[in-house]
């Protein structure tokens, strides 16, 4: 029974049967026809609904009847229909699959087309999950289940508290026993029964409330106030829900209490028993209530804490009361303590319920500052108008924040020298009434009087603070900040501090300080009182100076700025110069619209020429409020600043102070936390926290060790790092872990493996070897990739065997066998292999005749064989073990003499270590020595003892007196590194490039010979003659048919039959055969395992990975590695692995063609990190070899989202071509996938160095442990969780998130805006490099801030107000949560840690949010970023993420599109190169997005970034012209995934027009492509096909090989709504198939003549027009209209009619058949177009060149000389595009990574930075330099 249960558990999915409607109808016709004439006419019926419906109804009736039969009614006498039985057995499983994702979904009617398609999709997804989902880390499972386990433990502790107290105090004899008499048990028993019944009642009651708890309000929200109201209402609703549930629970508990009390009353009347009963009732009632409160408490951590606290209090109380003499005799201590603990828990958890305190309702306008403060500021020069990337609150909070800090305050008549100096300075300036600034400004004459008046009247005051305070409050780009309060202008001046000093200001000279303060006073007065702009206020500062130059505070800033800051200042001033020269006109945007006279004036100003103002210029200046005098003054000021900065750059003054605006990436946002004084309370608090964390870690270790998780060892190693007890503790714990592993191994084998024959067989091969099983009429030889079956034939006592590839029960009808002929003494005489021969099909054969040693007549091992292929004869020699040692062979029509060297041990080993091939032609004295071995560590000279390898390791080629010795080093199993030494009479010379002999395997010598042993030719060699002859005697008695029937019986049945037949003279005993076993290599077994995993659907990932581990553990060469690893000696295990890597790799590596499509196979890199499958991202043998560029090898990082390698489609195929076709590129993959169980459709090993799949909706809960090269340990993730505090979230993350939302809500983005949002992204990436991703996003504060960010009214015309939206656009609270969940997925890539050293080229296939990781790489590491655009993600997102096809609510769609739009603008702003897949369509979109249709800059300038690389067909050689069409009727083929963007419905509607409206009943449409990309769309399409009666003509056929399915095509069709350059059209053209397509993207380019653009060889129609698509197909199929000229018609045919009559249908259909040759000729023209314009070699070459150009760009960026040149000589008017230097050592990459298992205490995560702090202590939330994003 148990084994049957296990089998059902592991194989239930196999019971789900997929059928088609045609199968149902066929079953109905065969089983339920009323008479012989009642044959189904379904295939010919126009009304297909009736027979299908009748058949379906009958099928369901029989299925339900079979399912409803009870076991006692079943009888073997009643025959069961196997078809119905199979469906009935899988019916319940099918229902569960359909309801698995949505239990409330309405299921379609069983076995309808919708049901069948939906079942096919869910079954496929479930199969993929089983085949792709490996075992998750127990740390992840524990992290997400620890609170649930803690809740159960808390319940266990409280409910049995009286027992714990009794057990603890059981040693005291004075304790009172509650069981004082026989009936005393009844009181406690009734209390327990009450508790159990209440627990059952509670579970049934809460089923109705679990789903409602946490459900968000459905009220639409238009403002923050409405959101607060919704929260309040939801809180009230939750309160009512709790009260209703609690009331119902109490009534039920009272009912149970009454029943138990009556029951108790019937049995006892003792007072003590009754008191005990009531105490237990009270205590257990509290337990029930705190369990009830769990449903209404979302913070389960606090809930558990309260329960544990209650248990602790009750337990201590019980111990104390039992310990006291005065109370020890009290009999109810345990029950009272149970009551106290349970009710403390109940009341505490009730107080923690979410509804206890209603959310405060915000009054209207409560978010606005009631004082309506306005902040005025004196900005630091060098800053644009970009908002700071991080602000700790709204700008109106700044006055409040600044008002609460101290500083040095100055005011009029305060008695200080500074105030007196300000008076004198202002008075002196007032006397200079002829100042140029006063005359230029419109209110220039009022500035000084107003400033002096306010100052002297006490209405102005200045407070001097440190500059760092400004940065803390988010105004770090200001020199001074002012605001009006109570009629007084309060000015705060941020002064830099001396280096290393916190209180001393850098400026100590009194005169300088007075001038700076006076300038600040003038500036703030101009802005606050005279309402001047910032620019004019800055000019007004010059009023206290005699000359026009720059103010003292500007000069001071220049003097105290470091070199990077000066470069930035120069760039900013350069821009300002152009701005003032051109009167504020942006030449890249507004030049064409500016009046001609203004343009002339600007050019004259630039050339320093005289220009007389005209009426047009004056009118323009007036209309634009421009002032030429002001512009001239600003120009003079800029020139002065520019020269001063250049002077300081040249002199390179020593740095005295650090300005935050010149520092990169290390500014602290959060104020430092003052250390607490070490009081007793602080010490106890810290000790308590340490003890608590130690206890939780101990519980975690116990829980995880008990699961025997594979990563337990390395996690514990990291947890104990630096401890002197690390190794002893680790050794002991791992011994316990090993015991748990053996227990887990036994259960896993019992549950998973024992019931799966294919896995059990592989394990048997491990233990016993590969079998050669001799049966009565056959022999089967198991092999990992060459299994064979031989069928014995006895003729006149002579044996021959027909040998076929594969395992067969009977001889197959296809394929040519190999015939083995034996002599009378059962020696193999001849072996004949037949082949198809030449192209004409003439059969050919090769015969081998074997020669034996006459001196050993009993030996069946030959000494040689003569091979005759009909042209030549060769002699091949064997050694005594049957191994080929020498002979002759022909390669490429060249004859060679060869010699083989075999491995000496073990005996008869067939591995060839060395082969020498000598050309027999004397005119070509060349020899090849090929080594498939490497010398061992002891460096033995005997080659026969070297380590065998499947791959070539050395090649020695000798030609005459010259030798080329080439070695092959495999850092990557598919990419050897070659080095050649040229040897001649002059000596040895290393060559820069490998020899031509090593690069080209001309004769096929590089592959190790496989058929080198006689046992591979003679299948019977290991069976003795007696066993072989026994098959003759048995076969002469029993026929093969009878034998098969006998074998089909059970063992008992066969034995009984043999006993019955023996007296009759017939021996029917089991087959006389014998099984011989040969031990295979571990690598061969692993190849067999993963090859079957790829081919057989029932091979699940869990069992496959488990078996793979067992195979490796059984490998002898890894035995020491496993011993060291299982004992915790990881460094030694790693060293052993590295030392014996060649031997181990040769023993365990999976064959290349299998491993490259098997990502779950354990790699050597996985063993190096002490993990198993997919624990290491590196695909190289050693971790250190993963990233290493050379002069001819380039590493590239690329990200693909939702395509390669798991998903099909055109983009995936393009990426496949690049990965497979670039021999000089080594790829590092960051693939964003929907889940973590995807199965690659393409090879992922060749030309791939590292592979990371990032599951956006993975079952691991988006655990942020992923890395590009190295993953984080789960213990490191735990540390990040521990280090992520509420303060980090509120003061760092939330401001960043709000700023992102603000950008997403904005309609337009200026360049300064994009710089701000760039810094937001950079800060987010840095934040997540040290803080936990999930802890941050899942915080309640984040959800609240997220909602407020989308609802807040900025009163900005560029940011539409939320309350102005339509009702359908207004989101609910739930929709806010849904949108947040999606953004959490999209931003997940930012949790990936950037490595310290990474490749310098990055490419993304889209410009979405995930692509912005490339921006982080660019500004962190100097990487060149390219975007490879296919269909323009923003364009397709507007189609896909739209109400037309998305099931998401409109508000969620709007929020998603807003973020995608911002991401697109950011991507194109910062990308280095955009690579559209076509040059005619996508570049327009890219340029418009990059410059916002010219609003942000010159489109022509942006086009310099665009370098189109037109798509090509990478595998075009596999497509050949179709000579004969297989289909009989006109058939249109589509190669499109069934999804909205491909508009397959339009194609179906066009088919309906052709079939039903036009009347072409023989027309067929077959769509090949994935149906699971958008399942709902596929189901709708199937419904349309059935409802329109098209089931016989139109089919969604799933996947198909393009070159195969196109053989059925009369026509190829593409109906997409959006495309880039569809590859499917190119593949159809290469096959010579005519094409009809919608005119989207660059589709028309494929159909256009290469020389004459006016000629097209295919039809294009508008998208979403089924009639046009239908007419175009008929026109092209019949070669009518414009296509008639491509036919051989003597006279033009009639035009295509508007309406089709039956006669029209008849002659057009006939013409379709007649014009097949003409259509093929037209298709050949298309083939010529593709060969000339879209050749794959050109496509691959251009991409490869572009990668190398990217690297050159990165090298230029990293060049110090070029950087200094660009900084010293900026171009006039150059936008903010500084040459950036990569920032090193900031991403947690310091220190030796854990993968190296360093034996020292200083480990990653505690490495020190320059400031002496650990990297984990440095804040991730630093404010970026705004210009970094330029």
């Amino acid at each position: 029974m148990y084994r049957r249960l296990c089998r059902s558990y592991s194989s239930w999915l196999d019971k789900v049967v997929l059928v088609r409607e045609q199968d149902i109808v066929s079953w109905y016709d065969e089983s339920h026809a009323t008479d012989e004439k009642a044959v189904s006419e379904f295939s010919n019926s126009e009304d297909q609904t009736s027979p299908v419906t009748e058949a379906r109804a009958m099928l369901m009736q029989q299925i339900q009847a079979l399912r409803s039969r009870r076991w006692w009614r079943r009888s073997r006498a009643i025959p069961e229909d196997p078809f119905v039985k199979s469906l009935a057995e899988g019916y319940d499983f099918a229902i569960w699959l359909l309801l698995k994702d949505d239990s409330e979904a309405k299921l379609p009617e069983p076995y309808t087309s919708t049901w069948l398609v939906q079942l096919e999709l869910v079954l496929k997804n479930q199969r993929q999950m089983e085949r792709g989902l490996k075992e998750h880390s127990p740390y992840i499972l524990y992290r997400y289940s620890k609170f649930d386990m803690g809740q159960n433990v808390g319940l266990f502790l409280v409910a049995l508290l009286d027992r714990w107290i009794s057990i603890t105090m059981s040693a005291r004899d004075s304790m009172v026993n509650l069981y004082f008499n026989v009936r005393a048990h009844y009181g406690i028993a009734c209390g327990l029964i009450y508790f159990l019944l209440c627990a059952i009642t509670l579970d049934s009651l809460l089923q109705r409330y679990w789903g409602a708890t946490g459900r968000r309000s459905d009220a639409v929200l238009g403002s923050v106030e409405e959101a607060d109201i919704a929260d309040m209402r939801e809180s009230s609703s939750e309160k009512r829900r709790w009260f209703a549930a609690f009331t119902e629970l109490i009534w039920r508990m009272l009912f149970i209490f009454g029943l138990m009390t009556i029951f108790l009353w019937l049995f006892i009347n003792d007072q003590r028993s009754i008191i005990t009963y009531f105490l237990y009732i009270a205590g257990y009632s509290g337990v029930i209530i705190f369990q009830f409160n769990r449903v209404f408490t979302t913070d389960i951590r606090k809930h558990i804490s309260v329960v544990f606290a209650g248990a602790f209090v009750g337990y201590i109380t019980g111990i104390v009361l039992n310990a006291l003499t005065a109370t020890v005799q009290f009999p109810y201590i345990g029950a009272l303590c149970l009551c106290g603990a349970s009710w403390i828990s109940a009341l505490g958890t009730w107080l923690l319920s979410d509804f206890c305190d209603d959310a405060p309702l915000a009054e209207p306008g409560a978010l606005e500052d009631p004082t309506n403060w306005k902040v005025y500021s004196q900005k630091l020069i060098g800053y644009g108008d970009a908002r700071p990337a991080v602000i700790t609150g709204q700008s109106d909070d700044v006055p409040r924040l600044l008002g609460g800090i101290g500083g040095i305050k100055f005011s009029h008549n305060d008695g200080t020298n500074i105030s007196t100096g300000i008076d004198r300075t202002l008075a002196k300036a007032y006397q200079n009434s002829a100042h140029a600034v006063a005359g230029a400004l419109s209110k220039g004459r009022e500035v000084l009087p107003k400033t002096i008046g306010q100052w002297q009247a006490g209405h102005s005051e200045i407070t001097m603070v440190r500059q760092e305070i400004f940065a803390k409050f988010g105004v770090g780009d200001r020199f001074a900040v002012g605001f009006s309060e109570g009629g007084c202008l309060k000015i705060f001046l941020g002064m830099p501090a001396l280096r290393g000093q916190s209180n001393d200001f850098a400026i100590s000279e009194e005169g300088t300080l007075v001038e700076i303060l006076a300038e600040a006073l003038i500036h703030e007065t101009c802005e606050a009182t005279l309402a001047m702009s910032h620019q004019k206020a800055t000019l007004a500062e010059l009023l206290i100076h005699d000359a026009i130059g720059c103010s003292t505070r500007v000069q001071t800033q220049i003097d105290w700025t470091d070199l990077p800051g000066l470069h930035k200042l120069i760039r900013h001033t350069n821009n300002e110069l152009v701005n003032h020269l051109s009167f504020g006109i942006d030449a890249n945007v507004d030049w064409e619209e500016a009046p001609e006279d203004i343009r002339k004036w600007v050019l004259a100003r630039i050339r320093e020429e005289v220009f007389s103002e005209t009426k047009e210029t004056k009118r323009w200046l007036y209309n634009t409020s421009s002032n030429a005098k002001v512009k001239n003054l600003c120009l003079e000021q800029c020139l002065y600043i520019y020269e001063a900065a250049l002077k300081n750059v040249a002199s390179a003054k020593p740095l005295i102070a650090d300005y935050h605006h010149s520092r990169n990436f290390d500014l602290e946002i959060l104020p430092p936390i003052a250390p607490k004084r070490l009081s007793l309370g602080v010490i106890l608090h810290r000790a308590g926290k340490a003890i608590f964390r130690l206890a939780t870690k101990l519980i975690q270790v116990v829980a995880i060790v008990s699961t025997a998780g594979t990563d337990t060892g390395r996690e514990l190693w990291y947890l104990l790092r630096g401890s002197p007890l690390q190794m002893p503790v680790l050794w002991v714990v791992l011994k316990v872990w090993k015991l748990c592993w053996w227990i887990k191994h036994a259960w896993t084998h019992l549950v998973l493996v024992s019931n799966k024959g294919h896995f059990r067989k592989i394990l048997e091969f491990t233990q016993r070897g590969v079998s050669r099983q001799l049966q009565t009429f056959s022999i089967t030889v198991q092999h990992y990739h060459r299994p064979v079956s031989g069928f014995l034939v006895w003729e006149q006592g002579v044996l021959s065997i027909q040998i076929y590839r594969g395992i067969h029960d009977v001889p197959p009808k296809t394929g040519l066998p190999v015939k083995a002929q034996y002599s009378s003494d059962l020696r193999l005489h001849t072996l004949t292999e037949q082949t198809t021969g030449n192209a004409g099909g003439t059969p050919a054969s090769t015969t081998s005749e074997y020669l034996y040693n006459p001196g050993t007549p009993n030996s069946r091992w030959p000494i040689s064989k003569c091979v005759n292929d009909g042209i030549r004869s060769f002699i091949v020699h064997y050694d005594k073990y049957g191994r080929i040692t020498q002979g002759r062979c022909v390669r490429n029509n060249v004859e060679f003499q060869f010699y083989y060297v075999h491995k000496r041990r073990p005996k008869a080993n067939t591995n060839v270590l060395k082969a020498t091939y000598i050309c027999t032609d004397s005119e070509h004295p060349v020899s090849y020595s090929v080594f498939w071995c490497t010398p061992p560590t002891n460096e033995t000279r005997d080659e026969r003892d070297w380590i065998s390898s499947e791959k070539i390791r050395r090649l020695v080629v000798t030609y005459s007196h010259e030798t080329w010795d080439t070695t092959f080093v495999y850092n990557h199993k598919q990419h050897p590194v070659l080095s050649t030494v040229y040897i001649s009479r002059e000596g040895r010379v290393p060559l820069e490039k490998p020899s031509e002999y090593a690069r080209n395997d001309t004769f096929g010598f590089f592959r190790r010979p496989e058929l080198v042993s006689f046992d591979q030719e003679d299948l019977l060699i290991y069976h003795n003659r007696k066993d072989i002859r026994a098959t003759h005697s048995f076969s002469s008695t029993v026929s093969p048919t009878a034998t098969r029937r006998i074998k089909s019986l059970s063992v008992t049945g066969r034995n009984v039959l043999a006993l019955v037949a023996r007296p009759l003279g017939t021996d029917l005993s089991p087959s006389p055969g014998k099984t011989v076993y040969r031990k295979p290599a571990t690598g061969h077994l692993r190849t067999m395992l993963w090859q079957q995993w790829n081919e057989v659907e029932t091979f699940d990932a869990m069992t496959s990975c488990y078996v793979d581990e067992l195979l490796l553990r059984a490998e002898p060469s890894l035995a020491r590695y496993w011993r060291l690893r299982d004992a915790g000696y990881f460094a030694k295990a790693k060293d052993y692995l590295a030392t014996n890597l060649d031997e181990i790799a040769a023993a365990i590596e999976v064959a290349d063609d299998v491993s490259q499509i098997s990502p779950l196979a354990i790699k050597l890199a996985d063993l190096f990190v002490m993990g198993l499958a997919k624990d290491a991202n590196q695909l190289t043998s050693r971790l250190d070899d993963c990233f290493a560029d050379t002069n001819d090898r380039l590493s590239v990082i690329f990200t693909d989202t939702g395509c390669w390698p798991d998903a099909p489609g055109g983009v995936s195929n393009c990426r496949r071509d690049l990965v497979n076709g670039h021999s000089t590129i080594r790829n590092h993959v960051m693939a964003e996938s929907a889940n973590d169980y995807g199965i690659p459709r393409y090879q992922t090993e060749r030309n791939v160095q590292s592979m990371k799949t990032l599951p956006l909706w993975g079952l691991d809960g988006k655990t942020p442990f992923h890395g590009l090269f190295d993953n984080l340990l789960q213990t490191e993730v735990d540390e990040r969780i521990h280090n992520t505090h509420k303060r980090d979230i509120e003061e760092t993350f939330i401001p960043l998130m709000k700023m992102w939302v603000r950008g997403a809500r904005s309609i337009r983005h200026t360049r300064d805006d994009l710089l701000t949002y760039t810094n937001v992204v950079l800060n987010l990436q840095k934040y997540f490099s040290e803080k936990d991703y999930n802890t941050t996003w899942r915080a309640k504060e984040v959800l609240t801030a997220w909602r407020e960010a989308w609802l807040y009214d900025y009163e900005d015309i560029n940011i539409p107000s939320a309350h102005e939206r339509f009702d359908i656009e207004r989101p609910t609270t739930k929709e806010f949560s849904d949108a947040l969940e999606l953004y959490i997925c999209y931003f997940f890539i930012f949790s990936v840690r950037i490595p310290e050293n990474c490749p310098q080229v990055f490419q993304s296939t889209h410009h979405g949010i995930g692509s912005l990781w490339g921006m982080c790489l660019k500004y962190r590491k100097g990487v060149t970023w390219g975007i490879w655009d296919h269909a323009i993600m923003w364009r397709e997102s507007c189609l896909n993420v739209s109400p037309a096809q998305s099931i998401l609510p409109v508000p969620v769609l709007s929020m998603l599109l807003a973020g995608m739009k911002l991401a697109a603008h950011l991507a194109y702003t910062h990308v280095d190169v955009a690579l559209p897949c076509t040059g005619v369509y996508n570049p327009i979109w890219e340029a418009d997005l990059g410059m916002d249709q010219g609003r942000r800059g010159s489109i022509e300038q942006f086009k310099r970034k665009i370098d189109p690389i037109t798509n090509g067909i990478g595998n075009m050689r596999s497509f050949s012209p179709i000579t004969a069409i297989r289909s009989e009727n006109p058939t249109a083929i589509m190669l499109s995934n069934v999804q909205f963007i491909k508009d397959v419905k339009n194609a179906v509607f066009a088919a309906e027009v052709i079939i039903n409206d036009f009347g072409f009943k023989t027309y067929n449409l077959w769509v090949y492509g994935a149906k699971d990309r958008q399942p709902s769309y596929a189901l709708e399409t199937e419904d349309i096909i059935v409802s329109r009666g098209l089931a016989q003509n139109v089919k969604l056929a799933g996947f198909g090989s393009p070159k195969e399915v196109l053989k059925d095509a009369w026509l190829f069709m593409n109906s997409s709504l959006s495309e880039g350059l569809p590859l499917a059209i190119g593949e159809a053209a290469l096959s010579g198939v005519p094409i009809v397509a919608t005119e989207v993207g660059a589709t028309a380019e494929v159909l256009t003549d290469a020389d004459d653009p006016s000629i097209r060889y295919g039809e294009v129609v508008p998208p979403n027009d089924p009639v046009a698509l239908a007419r175009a197909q008929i026109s092209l199929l019949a070669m009518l209209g414009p296509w008639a000229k491509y036919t051989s018609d003597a006279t033009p045919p009639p035009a295509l009619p508007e309406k089709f009559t039956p006669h029209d249908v008849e002659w057009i259909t006939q013409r379709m058949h007649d014009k097949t040759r003409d259509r093929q000729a037209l298709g050949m023209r298309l083939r010529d177009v593709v060969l000339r314009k879209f050749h794959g070699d050109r496509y691959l070459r251009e991409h490869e060149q572009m990668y190398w150009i990217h690297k050159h760009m990165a090298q230029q960026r990293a060049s110090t000389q070029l950087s200094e040149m660009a900084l010293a000589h900026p171009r006039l008017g150059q936008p903010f595009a500084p040459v950036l230097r990569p920032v090193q050592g900031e991403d947690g990459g310091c220190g030796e990574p854990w993968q190296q298992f360093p034996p020292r205490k200083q480990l990653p995560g505690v490495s020190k930075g320059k400031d002496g702090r650990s990297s984990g202590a440095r804040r991730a939330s630093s404010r970026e330099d705004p210009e970094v994003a330029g």
Side-chain angles (χ1 to χ4, degrees), residues 1384-1397:
I1384 292 174
C1385 297
Y1386 292 152
F1387 274 100
F1388 190 44
I1389 193 172
F1390 292 97
S1391 69
V1392 177
R1393 181 173 56 179
I1394 296 177
E1396 184 68 20
N1397 297 311

Side-chain angles (χ1 to χ4, degrees), residues 381-382 538 549-551 554-555 558 566 569-570 573 634-647:
I381 58 173
T538 302
C550 67
S551 59
V554 172
Q555 184 62 56
I558 295 173
L566 288 173
L569 181 58
I570 291 172
T573 308
C634 292
L635 190 60
E636 291 185 43
Q637 188 181 40
C638 286
L639 288 171
Y640 187 91
I641 295 172
Y642 191 85
E643 292 175 358
L646 284 178
K647 180 180 179 182

Side-chain angles (χ1 to χ4, degrees), residues 1408-1424:
I1409 294 175
S1411 72
L1412 298 182
W1413 197 63
M1415 185 173 69
C1416 300
L1417 288 172
K1418 176 178 179 178
Y1419 294 118
R1420 300 292 194 204
K1421 301 299 179 184
V1423 174
T1424 300

Side-chain angles (χ1 to χ4, degrees), residues 1626-1639:
E1627 293 172 344
L1630 285 174
S1631 301
V1633 179
I1635 297 170
V1636 172
T1638 50
E1639 193 168 10

Side-chain angles (χ1 to χ4, degrees), residues 1030-1103:
T1031 63
H1032 181 209
S1033 61
F1034 187 86
S1035 61
S1036 62
T1037 305
V1038 184
S1039 66
T1041 303
T1043 302
R1044 286 195 295 272
R1045 291 178 179 177
I1046 293 173
K1047 290 172 63 178
S1048 65
L1049 297 174
S1050 63
V1051 176
T1052 304
R1054 278 183 283 172
N1055 292 333
V1056 171
L1057 185 63
L1059 291 174
V1060 173
R1062 191 172 293 119
L1064 302 177
T1066 302
D1067 186 8
L1068 296 181
S1069 59
S1071 173
K1074 181 181 179 182
T1075 302
V1076 178
Y1077 295 92
R1078 302 285 291 175
K1079 197 66 178 288
T1082 301
H1084 294 173
L1085 287 175
R1086 296 186 68 216
T1087 300
M1088 180 189 301
L1089 169 68
W1090 292 110
Q1091 187 173 18
Q1092 293 190 38
W1093 176 81
N1094 279 285
E1095 296 173 354
V1096 182
E1097 284 188 344
T1098 56
F1099 265 63
D1100 63 281
M1102 295 280 288
T1103 314

Side-chain angles (χ1 to χ4, degrees), residues 258-330:
L259 287 179
M260 289 297 100
T261 304
I262 294 173
F263 180 80
L264 182 71
W265 176 73
L266 294 175
F267 289 93
I268 64 173
N269 57 2
D270 182 79
Q271 181 181 2
R272 292 176 61 182
S273 297
I274 293 175
I275 293 174
T276 302
Y277 164 72
F278 281 109
L279 286 175
Y280 274 102
I281 291 294
Y284 289 139
S285 297
V287 174
I288 294 297
I289 291 175
F290 80 67
Q291 283 293 97
F292 168 80
N293 288 336
R294 167 66 187 92
V295 179
F296 298 90
T297 305
T298 56
D299 194 340
I300 188 174
R301 181 194 296 269
K302 294 181 180 179
H303 176 92
I304 294 173
S305 300
V306 169
V307 173
F308 274 85
F312 179 76
V313 171
Y315 178 76
I316 297 299
T317 303
I319 298 298
V320 172
L321 291 177
N322 278 290
L324 296 176
T325 306
T327 57
V328 68
Q329 294 297 323
F330 189 66

Side-chain angles (χ1 to χ4, degrees), residues 257 295 339 542 587 876 1460:
F257 170 70
V295 179
C339 292
L542 300 176
V876 177
M1460 292 177 182

